[in-house]
Amino acid sequence: TFRSLYTRPNKKIIYIAPLKALARERYRTWGEKFGEQLGFNVIMLTGDLTPDREAINQAHIIITTPEKWDGISRYWKSRKYVKKVAVIIFDEIHLLGLDRGPILEVIVSRLRFVERRILEREDADKVRLLGLSTALANAEDLGDWLGVGNLGLYNFPAAQRPVPCQVHIQGYPGKHYCPRMAKMNKPCFAAIKSHSMQKPVLIFVSSRRQTRLTAIDLISFISRDSASTKFLHIDPSEMNYIMRDVKDVNLRHSLAFGIGLHHAGLHPSDRKIVEELFLN
């Protein structure tokens, strides 16, 4: 990204995030890093936010979603900025095998077509494709599809993480989803007590409803442990002040115990409060 910004300043870098929430997060962090600190123009294109054409033309980095870039790139003949792309970054590219896979395939195929048309007329550099994934079984196959050789295929093992990571896997029997998820909550609470009482913890579940149910179970375990504020690492009066601005009732209740909720159904201001409390 840095090299493209400085060696090809008239070109654009496109970052495609699978979710609006991830696009917003990347826009915030890259806006600070590349925009405020280095002076590059960073914009976000989603279904909720579309800057005017002049702002897009002046942008160095465009953060968008697959659906939005698919719609924009269809009209590549009339939109010159589509032909000025130097790098396209696909985050969570393993989602190619899910519902949004066909959209990503169309984007790559159209990109190759536009690239060939431009190279026929003028001497130009090829567009660089960068796919990112946390877990990918067939990386070599995907690399071949993207036109990436062995020299451009990187696998970073856990040992190369800046923060050491240990993986423990524990199975839970059960035919039905909700009872099986409920079985996981108590061992999860025990793991937090054993390994991370003084540090932030992320618990991933598969639905918005499950975030609320998991938070309720954790609150009940805390209450039985006779220390209802053991996860609260700021002054309760300060938390009460912060909670006045929280719109979601369930989130307001869980924050009092030092437990946050984060999903796409929350109001943006609520998500921002949770993110800042987690980071700080």
Side-chain angles (χ1 to χ4, degrees):
T1 302
F2 278 107
R3 184 174 65 183
S4 296
L5 287 171
Y6 286 107
T7 60
R8 305 167 72 180
N10 295 325
K11 297 288 187 176
K12 302 187 186 303
I13 295 171
I14 311 299
Y15 173 90
I16 298 180
L19 303 172
K20 292 180 184 178
L22 183 56
R24 282 191 295 266
E25 174 65 18
R26 194 63 67 237
Y27 176 68
R28 183 180 65 81
T29 56
W30 284 18
E32 294 175 0
K33 181 183 294 183
F34 295 107
E36 297 175 9
Q37 297 179 19
L38 299 176
F40 294 105
N41 294 325
V42 182
I43 66 169
M44 182 168 66
L45 286 173
T46 63
D48 300 331
L49 183 63
T50 303
D52 59 67
R53 181 167 293 192
E54 183 60 28
I56 298 174
N57 286 329
Q58 296 297 323
H60 296 97
I61 300 175
I62 298 175
I63 297 171
T64 185
T65 57
E67 293 82 1
K68 189 66 176 180
W69 189 251
D70 175 40
I72 288 174
S73 60
R74 290 180 188 182
Y75 305 97
W76 61 273
K77 290 184 179 180
S78 59
R79 292 169 173 167
K80 293 183 179 180
Y81 55 84
V82 176
K83 295 181 280 188
K84 293 183 178 180
V85 175
V87 180
I88 290 189
I89 302 170
F90 297 95
D91 204 351
E92 307 290 356
I93 199 169
H94 56 270
L95 297 178
L96 192 68
L98 300 180
D99 295 342
R100 289 180 169 177
I103 300 176
L104 294 176
E105 290 182 19
V106 168
I107 290 173
V108 173
S109 299
R110 185 180 297 123
L111 170 70
R112 294 304 190 197
F113 174 77
V114 174
E115 186 179 58
R116 285 196 301 269
R117 294 292 296 270
I118 294 174
L119 290 174
E120 288 172 0
R121 301 175 186 175
E122 56 187 87
D123 184 18
D125 294 323
K126 286 189 173 183
V127 178
R128 184 182 180 191
L129 298 180
L130 179 61
L132 307 175
S133 176
T134 52
L136 196 61
N138 58 336
E140 291 184 357
D141 295 336
L142 193 55
D144 290 339
W145 177 67
L146 291 174
V148 177
N150 288 332
L151 290 176
L153 191 63
Y154 298 96
N155 179 21
F156 301 98
Q160 294 185 356
R161 288 175 53 93
V163 178
C165 178
Q166 293 182 343
V167 178
H168 302 272
I169 299 175
Q170 187 171 348
Y172 295 89
K175 185 180 295 185
H176 301 290
Y177 171 76
C178 288
R180 189 168 67 249
M181 291 296 293
K183 286 182 180 179
M184 299 181 188
N185 292 334
K186 192 166 186 178
C188 181
F189 177 72
I192 295 172
K193 287 176 62 179
S194 300
H195 302 292
S196 194
M197 275 302 296
Q198 301 301 321
K199 298 178 181 178
V201 175
L202 282 173
I203 302 173
F204 289 94
V205 294
S206 58
S207 68
R208 302 177 188 181
R209 178 175 178 268
Q210 197 60 48
T211 61
R212 178 173 56 83
L213 295 177
T214 301
I216 291 173
D217 275 359
L218 291 176
I219 290 170
S220 68
F221 297 143
I222 294 172
S223 300
R224 292 177 203 165
D225 225 22
S226 69
S228 61
T229 58
K230 65 165 52 181
F231 289 165
L232 193 63
H233 299 302
I234 65 173
D235 188 90
S237 60
E238 185 178 350
M239 178 57 83
N240 289 333
Y241 180 79
I242 294 172
M243 287 163 50
R244 295 190 307 176
D245 297 325
V246 174
K247 296 176 172 57
D248 187 88
V249 176
N250 296 310
L251 175 60
R252 194 182 307 125
H253 173 65
S254 66
L255 282 178
F257 297 88
I259 299 171
L261 308 175
H262 194 284
H263 54 73
L266 289 176
H267 190 276
S269 64
D270 284 357
R271 284 201 300 267
K272 185 176 180 182
I273 289 172
V274 173
E275 291 163 7
E276 289 179 349
L277 286 171
F278 180 82
L279 293 173
N280 299 325

